[in-house]
Amino acid sequence: MSDRYAVIGNPIGFSKSPLIHGTFARMTGQDLVYEAIEAPLGGFSERVDQFRTEGAKGLNITAPFKLDAFAYANELSESADRAGAVNCLKFDGDRIIGENFDGIGLVRDITVNLGVKMAGQRVLMLGAGGAARGALLPFLRQEPSELVLVNRTLSKAVALAEEFAGCGPLIVSGYAELADLAEGYDVVVNATSASLRGEMPPLPGNVFRGAKLAYELAYGKGLTPFLQAARAEGVAKLADGVGMLVEQAAEAFAWWRGVRPSTAQVIAELTVPLS
Ligand code: NDP
């Protein structure tokens, strides 16, 4: 019988994970089935218990269940522990191992697929929600010269900076103060959810001056207000989060199956032109 995996979320109809993992399985000759599960809000544990009873080997977790998955795991990787959230589970007998590959997927997309180095660079990250939190340690491990974290609710960014103190050159700012700090960022990353509503974080225009890359974590939205602003300021490279999505999936696949699929073809298939 084929090994069973799934992505779990609510809603789940939009998820690209079944397509991505189905393609990875064909590309690598792995015998598995991968489905999408919509669990009721408040019903994560019961639904995962059931899936495990059916012999499941692993799960990807999407909104709003990453914190539930964190609580459900009985072992955590360092990245999951640091992120305070789990986006991937592996079931091995009684072991329920939680991982978080979002941050490493983002770093791989920036440094490998887009060929933009972060080491020694000034990096600006907008947002202090789940995605930003998961990206902090992988970003700092790239050894940027400075990582500036800005958030609308400043206290959240301050709390993150306290938690990650000692991990690298992390600086916190509010949007209003950013204009004074902005002496040129190499990489500007939008990890807010503003683009999901067609909104623009209140950025001073000069943050894009001289930037090599503007990266939007939301994907499939074309030119978001953030990417439009970056383009207007002359940023040469614009990207959305489709590569991050596929790269975190490849990390999960490799963790489960012991074989790393190549990602370029899947990223190309899922890319919505930025125009
Ligand atoms: P959260 O809800 O956890 O955090 C949202 C963040 O956005 C907060 O920091 C919030 O600020 C900020 N924000 C929302 N609206 C605005 C606004 N108008 N102006 C300024 N800041 C704003 O979301 P996530 O961290 O889970 O997701 C963030 C983005 O990342 C989403 O677009 C999501 O789709 C994307 N994502 C992409 C993935 C991928 O694989 N490509 C994976 C995971 C997420 P405040 O704290 O002040 O409310």
Side-chain angles (χ1 to χ4, degrees):
M1 204 171 72
S2 306
D3 290 339
R4 287 181 68 189
Y5 298 87
V7 59
I8 188 166
N10 185 326
I12 201 62
F14 67 90
S15 175
K16 306 285 184 211
S17 293
L19 189 152
I20 295 170
H21 283 279
T23 307
F24 285 167
R26 277 194 303 283
M27 285 165 60
T28 56
Q30 293 285 306
D31 181 15
L32 60 88
V33 290
Y34 190 102
E35 54 204 276
I37 297 175
E38 184 161 289
L41 298 176
F44 176 84
S45 304
E46 293 72 14
R47 190 62 187 86
V48 181
D49 286 347
Q50 183 193 331
F51 193 46
R52 285 177 55 223
T53 317
E54 293 163 6
K57 300 278 187 197
L59 262 182
N60 288 126
I61 297 93
T62 189
F65 295 127
K66 291 182 186 181
L67 299 182
D68 297 86
F70 181 83
Y72 191 84
N74 57 24
E75 283 179 41
L76 292 171
S77 71
E78 188 196 7
S79 58
D81 197 20
R82 278 295 198 162
V86 159
N87 88 329
C88 190
L89 287 169
K90 179 154 75 174
F91 308 129
D92 179 14
D94 290 337
R95 296 173 71 199
I96 303 168
I97 311 162
E99 256 290 5
N100 192 314
F101 294 121
D102 281 337
I104 191 72
L106 174 56
V107 166
R108 275 190 71 90
D109 196 34
I110 291 174
T111 58
V112 180
N113 299 340
L114 298 166
V116 175
K117 69 168 185 170
M118 298 176 84
Q121 306 294 293
R122 295 191 78 225
V123 178
L124 173 64
M125 181 150 65
L126 321 178
R133 183 189 176 95
L136 278 180
L137 198 57
F139 271 25
L140 289 169
R141 290 211 164 130
Q142 292 297 304
E143 301 188 347
S145 62
E146 198 167 89
L147 173 56
V148 177
L149 182 67
V150 57
N151 197 45
R152 189 175 55 180
T153 310
L154 189 58
S155 57
K156 280 198 213 167
V158 169
L160 280 186
E162 280 168 7
E163 203 174 316
F164 287 83
C167 298
L170 182 57
I171 292 170
V172 164
S173 172
Y175 282 100
E177 297 76 41
L178 205 55
D180 305 328
L181 284 178
E183 57 185 58
Y185 297 100
D186 301 292
V187 177
V188 183
V189 177
N190 184 10
T192 77
S193 55
S195 303
L196 301 180
R197 293 176 300 281
E199 294 168 10
M200 173 72 188
L203 274 179
N206 60 343
V207 295
F208 291 116
R209 198 168 299 144
K212 297 167 187 136
L213 170 70
Y215 194 104
E216 168 75 78
L217 260 67
Y219 55 89
K221 306 263 170 220
L223 267 187
T224 61
F226 168 80
L227 291 176
Q228 282 173 35
R231 188 167 72 170
E233 294 291 328
V235 181
K237 247 181 208 177
L238 307 177
D240 76 3
V242 69
M244 171 185 176
L245 174 75
V246 177
E247 290 298 338
Q248 66 76 30
E251 293 292 322
F253 194 93
W255 186 47
W256 289 331
R257 308 300 299 182
V259 48
R260 195 174 204 288
S262 59
T263 52
Q265 180 196 328
V266 187
I267 292 174
E269 278 170 21
L270 291 179
T271 294
V272 173
L274 296 178
S275 56

